Amino acid sequence: NAGVMQNPRHLVRRRGQEARLRCSPMKGHSHVYWYRQLPEEGLKFMVYLQKENIIDESGMPKERFSAEFPKEGPSILRIQQVVRGDSAAYFCASSPPNRALEDETQYFGPGTRLLVL
Amino acid sequence: GENVEQHPSTLSVQEGDSAVIKCTYSDSASNYFPWYKQELGKRPQLIIDIRSNVGEKKDQRIAVTLNKTAKHFSLHITETQPEDSAVYFCAASMFSGGYNKLIFGAGTRLAVHP
């Protein structure tokens, strides 16, 4: 059973370009979370999605950032017109679709390390 | 919103000693407290978690305690080994609406010296 997959693992962009980060949850998982980790810091919640729905985007910057989780295919975190401050590791996590607290463990992907030049 | 404080930021111990990392949280409604271990350049990996209906949980050399009244929880690692060296993150969340929004502490860098 494959774990959470993310690609690319490393992404270099110049200021003003777009960055697209992909996350494929574990098989059978329908809940996806995105977190950002700045160097030497903890992880910060960005957004929580279910298939075709954004449930909680309270941690997303208001501009340039968007996320989706289509019916088919991976979840995408999109950053438009990147700036140097966007350089960070972006992790996604997935959890199963059950409603019990005991089933809400989040499993993290390997992350995408974005470097903006 | 929830805020999680984690101490110490760095911890250095000799192999075989115990290590204790402490976290406090602000939202009394939080009911799920996982601990993650992150090695350099790797993904965070869940090592242990505790729910608010439990005061203590143990898994081999790792234990977590929770004090809901004081709103703090701690990670205890006994008989530390060099491979325990990593950054450890605590987190707190309130399971609501069918999901957990984890709020992480800033991390503790643990170094275990042979």
Side-chain angles (χ1 to χ4, degrees):
Chain A
N1 186 15
V4 180
M5 308 289 285
Q6 287 188 251
N7 68 82
R9 297 289 305 275
H10 300 273
L11 182 61
V12 180
R13 285 288 178 266
R14 296 193 180 279
R15 282 178 297 169
Q17 292 184 319
E18 179 180 287
R20 278 180 178 249
L21 289 61
R22 298 174 188 80
C23 170
S24 297
M26 286 178 69
K27 186 177 181 180
H29 286 191
S30 58
H31 296 193
V32 168
Y33 303 78
W34 284 93
Y35 294 87
R36 177 165 62 176
Q37 186 177 34
L38 295 172
E40 303 297 320
E41 293 189 14
L43 294 92
K44 305 290 186 188
F45 170 82
M46 298 181 75
V47 61
Y48 163 66
L49 310 101
Q50 296 178 13
K51 285 285 187 180
E52 300 184 278
N53 283 302
I54 298 173
I55 308 299
D56 183 339
E57 55 182 346
S58 58
M60 289 277 273
K62 299 299 182 199
E63 299 177 346
R64 304 188 296 108
F65 285 71
S66 62
E68 63 178 9
F69 190 14
K71 187 176 181 180
E72 300 292 335
S75 175
I76 306 286
L77 179 67
R78 181 183 178 205
I79 312 172
Q80 296 178 288
Q81 299 176 323
V82 295
V83 300
R84 288 204 175 125
D86 296 332
S87 296
Y90 292 83
F91 291 94
C92 79
S94 73
S95 65
N98 298 306
R99 295 279 173 178
L101 175 60
E102 289 73 18
D103 296 322
E104 272 299 313
T105 299
Q106 294 182 26
Y107 299 90
F108 281 80
T112 294
R113 281 146 186 85
L114 172 66
L115 175 63
V116 180
L117 301 177
Chain B
E2 177 64 280
N3 183 53
V4 177
E5 300 284 338
Q6 183 172 348
H7 300 280
S9 57
T10 59
L11 181 58
S12 182
V13 300
Q14 289 297 125
E15 183 176 2
D17 287 350
S18 294
V20 180
I21 302 171
K22 299 181 179 181
C23 289
T24 59
Y25 61 99
S26 60
D27 190 343
S28 57
S30 290
N31 57 8
Y32 176 61
F33 307 92
W35 286 87
Y36 284 85
K37 175 184 180 182
Q38 187 178 31
E39 297 176 7
L40 187 63
K42 301 286 183 64
R43 75 185 74 194
Q45 291 201 307
L46 180 72
I47 56 172
I48 196 167
D49 57 16
I50 192 167
R51 272 87 182 182
S52 62
N53 57 342
V54 176
E56 183 173 354
K57 184 177 178 181
K58 190 173 182 180
D59 183 4
Q60 299 182 340
R61 296 186 297 109
I62 294 173
V64 58
T65 58
L66 171 65
N67 182 329
K68 284 194 66 182
T69 302
K71 291 190 283 187
H72 67 69
F73 56 113
S74 301
L75 177 72
H76 304 252
I77 306 174
T78 58
E79 300 172 26
T80 54
Q81 301 166 4
E83 50 265 38
D84 294 331
S85 297
V87 180
Y88 291 81
F89 293 98
C90 63
S93 74
M94 183 183 70
F95 181 75
S96 175
Y99 71 102
N100 275 319
K101 181 170 70 178
L102 294 178
I103 306 300
F104 284 85
T108 296
R109 186 175 300 278
L110 174 64
V112 180
H113 302 285

